[in-house]
């Protein structure tokens, strides 16, 4: 798990500092590997070689959204 403290300005102009948590389980990584044509590494190498910026952005966003979570009071 990765914990990242981020400071930002909200829509009301108030500066806020919050902790954000990111994690991908083995099951999630296996699913990503299994559903990628030729596997993740091959797929990423092809996209990078083509310099397909929209696809790089889409994958980056997908990984962040899949890995983001909120820590509950009991720490789970």
């Amino acid at each position: 798990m990765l914990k990242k403290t981020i400071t930002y300005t909200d829509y009301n102009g108030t500066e806020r500092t919050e902790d954000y948590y990111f994690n991908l389980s083995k099951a999630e990584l296996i699913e990503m590997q299994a559903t990628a044509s030729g596997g993740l590494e091959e797929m990423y190498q092809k996209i990078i070689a083509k310099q397909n910026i929209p696809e790089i952005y889409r994958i980056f966003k997908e990984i962040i959204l899949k890995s983001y979570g909120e820590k509950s009071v009991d720490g789970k």
Side-chain angles (χ1 to χ4, degrees):
M1 178 184 304
L2 170 69
K3 175 185 168 189
K4 180 75 176 167
T5 303
I6 300 173
T7 300
Y8 65 95
T9 302
D10 69 14
Y11 292 113
N12 295 322
T14 304
E15 187 173 281
R16 299 183 181 274
T17 300
E18 297 182 18
D19 292 331
Y20 290 86
Y21 299 88
F22 302 89
N23 186 59
L24 285 173
S25 69
K26 285 183 183 181
E28 291 167 321
L29 289 170
I30 290 169
E31 178 186 9
M32 290 171 67
Q33 175 73 11
T35 59
S37 178
L40 288 174
E41 185 175 352
E42 183 178 321
M43 182 182 75
Y44 293 155
Q45 287 177 353
K46 286 179 183 177
I47 293 167
I48 291 168
K50 292 179 182 179
Q51 295 185 7
N52 186 342
I53 302 303
E55 186 65 7
I56 293 170
Y57 175 80
R58 186 196 67 75
I59 290 170
F60 185 70
K61 184 176 178 180
E62 177 185 0
I63 291 170
I64 290 173
L65 292 175
K66 280 186 176 187
S67 66
Y68 173 74
E70 295 185 8
K71 189 174 177 182
S72 62
V73 175
D74 63 1
K76 294 182 180 181

